[in-house]
Amino acid sequence: QVLLVESGGGSVQAGGSLRLSCAASGYDTSGYCMGWFRQAPGKERERVATIDGVGSITSSFAVEGRFTTSKDNAKNILYLQMNSLKPEDSATYYCAADAGNSFERRFGGNCWSRRATDFAYWGQGTQVTVSS
């Protein structure tokens, strides 16, 4: 069982920055597909970024150029650096992880395209509020 705990959310003004962290415990998530999702009230859960088993990162068009995803495998922590925040970025942000198969863990791939329902592990979420 992988436990994911997000932190770093808060309230900022438009143009500000926040860094979210997702600490994983229980298993070494090196090689896992991990991702950031967000959900605003009344809206569907939206994929923000993923990082696959070999560290390849894909971000959504909505955040590309403003948000940066990284992972410290030694610490088992996933990060989301959010810059130039906009009010429309306000949402609850979740991290998710899935072990995938041995090929994916070794060679990557099949991470951005993975459905949200295919991620086995989810954090509890952290709220981000951006005021104009």
Side-chain angles (χ1 to χ4, degrees), residues 47-126:
R47 191 187 318 264
V48 175
T50 58
I51 181 167
D52 74 6
V54 295
S56 294
I57 297 168
T58 304
S59 301
S60 72
F61 179 77
V63 306
E64 198 163 13
R66 300 186 298 121
F67 290 11
T68 302
T69 299
S70 62
K71 189 175 179 212
D72 187 331
N73 282 322
K75 295 182 179 179
N76 222 11
I77 299 176
L78 178 71
Y79 298 100
L80 182 67
Q81 176 67 44
M82 306 186 293
N83 299 327
S84 301
L85 281 161
K86 303 175 181 180
E88 52 263 44
D89 295 319
S90 297
T92 300
Y93 283 71
Y94 300 89
C95 73
D98 191 75
N101 58 42
S102 58
F103 183 90
E104 292 164 350
R105 287 194 296 276
R106 184 174 180 183
F107 298 106
N110 193 31
C111 192
W112 177 257
S113 59
R114 194 184 301 266
R115 297 172 300 179
T117 53
D118 290 334
F119 283 83
Y121 307 104
W122 289 85
Q124 81 289 351
T126 185

Side-chain angles (χ1 to χ4, degrees), residues 21-59:
S21 299
C22 172
S25 61
Y27 279 88
D28 179 359
T29 59
S30 300
Y32 278 38
C33 166
M34 297 190 72
W36 288 101
F37 293 76
R38 66 186 182 186
Q39 189 166 21
K43 295 189 177 181
E44 293 187 356
R45 187 164 296 191
E46 174 188 10
R47 191 187 318 264
V48 175
T50 58
I51 181 167
D52 74 6
V54 295
S56 294
I57 297 168
T58 304
S59 301

